[in-house]
Amino acid sequence: MAADTPPRSPSAQREQLLNPWPRPTLRQTLAAVVALAVLFWSLRGAGVSLDALVEGMPTMLDFLRRIFPPRWDMQPVTLAVPGAPDAQVVVPLPRVAPYIVETLHMAVIGTLLGVMLSFPFGLLAARNLAPHPLVYHGTRLLLNINRAIPDILFALIFVAAVGLGPFAGVLALGVGAIGALGKLYAEAIEAIDPGPTLAVRATGATRLQTFVYGVLPQALPLMASYSLLLFEHNVRSATILGLVGAGGVGFILTTYISLFQYRELIGALILVIMVVTVIDWLSGQVRRRII
C-alpha cells in the first residue's frame, strides 16, 4: 500500500469483502444500456424467434432420422500392385475419396498462390516498410476491399472465366486470400523488433539487404504460421467452392443433396471431417515447432 493512501477502516474492508464487484460508474451503465440495445436490435433484425425454433423441432428430428445411420457410397477402384507391373487389384473405395484428394490439391496450390500474391501486399501494407503513407493507406484499402468479397463470389467469377473444375477453385482460393493474409503479413512485419534492423542499416546495408537480414528473419516464423493457417482455411473453403462448380468435394455433396441421398451425404461429411481434423492436427504440430 502506498504511503499516502489513507488506511481503510475495518468496516470499509468488510464491505469490500462482502461486495467484491465494484459499483458500476455512469459510463459503464450507459455502455451496458447501449450494448443491450444493440443486442435486441440485432435479434429483431435477424428474425430470431424461439417459437419458430420450437415449431420446427419435429422437422429437424425427422431430418436427423433420415440421415442416420450414415452410408458410404462405395465404388470399385482398380489399383496397380507395387513391384508387379502386370498385376492389378480391385478394391472398394468411397466414391467421395477422389474428390477429397482433389480438394487437398486445390488447397495446396491455392495456398501457394495466395502466399505469392499476398507477400508484396504485406510489404506495402506494413507501416515500417511502406515507401510512402499514401502507398500504406492505399494498400490497406485494397486489402479491406478484397476481404469484403466472399470466396464463393471469386469462384463464380473464375468459373465464368476458365470454366468448371478445380482450376477455378484454385484461382478463387489464391486471390481470395490476399486480403486476410496480406494484412496478417503486414501485422507480423510491424511487430518486429526495430533494433536488429537499425543495426543492419548502421553497417551501410542497402534497403534490400536491411529487409533480407533485419526484417525477414524476425517476421518469417509468424508469416509461415499464418500461411499454415491459410492452408487449413483453404481445405474448408475448397469444400464450399465445389457447390458452384469450382471443383473439390462440394460437387459430390451437391449431388447427394439434389438426389435426397442424405445418408450418403452424412457418410461423405464424416470422411471430410476426419481429413480436416488430421490436417488441423498436423498443421498445429508444425506451427508449434516454427514459432
Side-chain angles (χ1 to χ4, degrees):
M1 181 179 296
D4 54 350
T5 303
R8 287 178 298 181
S9 64
S11 60
Q13 295 180 10
R14 182 175 182 277
E15 182 69 19
Q16 184 183 13
L17 291 174
L18 293 177
N19 299 284
W21 295 98
R23 183 172 298 177
T25 63
L26 178 60
R27 177 178 297 181
Q28 292 171 337
T29 303
L30 290 176
V33 170
V34 171
L36 286 175
V38 171
L39 177 62
F40 283 111
W41 174 65
S42 302
L43 288 173
R44 290 180 61 85
V48 176
S49 170
L50 185 60
D51 293 339
L53 179 62
V54 173
E55 291 176 1
M57 199 62 76
T59 304
M60 187 186 308
L61 294 176
D62 179 65
F63 179 76
L64 293 175
R65 181 185 60 79
R66 293 165 63 186
I67 66 174
F68 286 105
R71 183 183 299 161
W72 283 272
D73 186 11
M74 310 296 284
Q75 64 178 4
V77 176
T78 303
L79 300 176
V81 178
D86 298 331
Q88 294 181 335
V89 61
V90 179
V91 296
L93 284 179
R95 187 184 172 196
V96 72
Y99 295 95
I100 293 177
V101 174
E102 185 179 82
T103 300
L104 294 178
H105 292 166
M106 290 169 55
V108 170
I109 304 302
T111 301
L112 179 61
L113 180 63
V115 169
M116 294 170 61
L117 295 177
S118 303
F119 189 73
F121 284 95
L123 300 183
L124 297 176
R127 190 185 297 272
N128 52 348
L129 285 186
H132 192 274
L134 287 178
V135 175
Y136 165 77
H137 290 293
T139 308
R140 288 274 178 167
L141 178 61
L142 290 176
L143 296 180
N144 291 338
I145 293 174
N146 182 276
R147 281 202 308 279
I149 301 174
D151 289 346
I152 201 162
L153 181 56
F154 282 119
L156 289 172
I157 294 172
F158 288 117
V159 164
V162 301
L164 298 172
F167 183 44
V170 168
L171 294 175
L173 292 175
V175 175
I178 295 176
L181 195 60
K183 183 176 186 296
L184 291 173
Y185 282 175
E187 300 290 341
I189 293 172
E190 289 180 352
I192 64 171
D193 182 3
T197 305
L198 295 175
V200 174
R201 191 176 299 168
T203 63
T206 63
R207 194 179 183 88
L208 178 60
Q209 291 171 330
T210 303
F211 171 74
V212 171
Y213 297 105
V215 176
L216 202 55
Q218 298 187 71
L220 198 56
L222 206 51
M223 294 170 70
S225 175
Y226 290 146
S227 302
L228 288 171
L229 284 175
L230 174 67
F231 175 66
E232 298 175 19
H233 170 78
N234 280 348
V235 173
R236 292 186 287 270
S237 295
T239 304
I240 303 299
L241 297 184
L243 298 177
V244 294
V249 72
F251 173 76
I252 191 68
L253 297 181
T254 306
T255 303
Y256 286 143
I257 293 173
S258 60
L259 297 177
F260 303 102
Q261 295 176 325
Y262 296 127
R263 292 182 178 178
E264 286 78 3
L265 172 67
I266 196 67
L269 285 176
I270 289 174
L271 293 178
V272 172
I273 291 170
M274 291 171 62
V275 172
V276 170
T277 303
V278 170
I279 290 175
D280 285 355
W281 181 80
L282 291 175
S283 177
Q285 295 292 319
V286 174
R287 278 190 283 110
R288 271 192 287 273
R289 283 165 173 74
I290 290 176
I291 299 179

